[in-house]
Amino acid sequence: MKKATLIALFLFISFPSLTTEALCNNTCMQTQTQNYLDSLVTVFIKGSTVKDIDALLSQLHDNVKYEHEEYDADFDKTKWRKAFIKQLELGSFDDTPNTQAKILNIIYGKRHAAVEYSYGKTDQAGNWTKGHVKFALFEFTDKKVSLVREYW
């Protein structure tokens, strides 16, 4: 065996996160993104609790970052939790249970997804009306969301 082949084999055995199996494929990225948006809706609904915030954050990578330049947000998981709790205590979360998030468009890249999405309302007949359209870049590490960078 050539030296380069041996080194590559050693790296794949020693560092399984370097293999493609550790990467989040397109289905994984879409599922993780929708789960994030759904959990965020739960937090935004009036009457949500710290337990809802913790449920949202628990599904994200331990080293997740949230960035939103326009709002001067640059949070790690701990700071993000504190920001959520502060908004919860201020009564900022007042959405209704008929709020639903939908991915409108998604473009996949290696470990990233550019996502156009909207929070909308579902009426009694089940018809969904989209709200303000938003855009975010998501990064994935170990099949979990590790970066949310908002551009709205």
Side-chain angles (χ1 to χ4, degrees):
M1 250 188 222
K2 292 184 178 181
K3 187 176 180 179
T5 305
L6 285 174
I7 291 171
L9 182 60
F10 170 77
L11 288 173
F12 285 123
I13 292 170
S14 301
F15 303 99
S17 64
L18 296 177
T19 66
T20 55
E21 292 172 10
L23 294 178
C24 199
N25 64 23
N26 293 359
T27 301
C28 171
M29 285 190 253
Q30 183 166 358
T31 300
Q32 292 298 321
T33 301
Q34 189 63 57
N35 289 344
Y36 164 80
L37 293 172
D38 292 343
S39 294
L40 201 54
V41 166
T42 300
V43 170
F44 290 162
I45 291 175
K46 185 177 181 122
S48 65
T49 66
V50 172
K51 196 181 244 184
D52 296 318
I53 293 168
D54 289 339
L56 163 67
L57 295 174
S58 72
Q59 69 182 318
L60 306 176
H61 193 273
D62 289 340
N63 296 322
V64 69
K65 284 196 58 145
Y66 175 81
E67 299 173 354
H68 196 311
E69 187 175 313
E70 191 168 326
Y71 292 99
D72 201 29
D74 186 6
F75 302 140
D76 61 14
K77 199 175 218 180
T78 302
K79 288 181 185 175
W80 202 5
R81 183 178 187 274
K82 288 178 184 175
F84 273 127
I85 291 171
K86 181 179 178 181
Q87 293 304 310
L88 181 69
E89 290 170 348
L90 291 172
S92 299
F93 303 138
D94 61 358
D95 276 345
T96 59
N98 66 334
T99 302
Q100 187 180 17
K102 288 195 179 191
I103 295 172
L104 305 175
N105 192 21
I106 189 166
I107 301 170
Y108 302 102
K110 186 177 182 183
R111 295 184 47 226
H112 292 82
V115 180
E116 178 186 40
Y117 67 98
S118 180
Y119 298 102
K121 303 289 183 188
T122 304
D123 64 21
Q124 291 179 347
N127 300 311
W128 182 77
T129 303
K130 73 179 173 184
H132 177 73
V133 176
K134 299 179 179 194
F135 174 75
L137 177 70
F138 289 81
E139 182 176 345
F140 302 87
T141 304
D142 300 327
K143 298 185 179 182
K144 292 185 174 188
V145 174
S146 57
L147 171 69
V148 179
R149 184 175 291 142
E150 301 273 10
Y151 294 98
W152 51 265

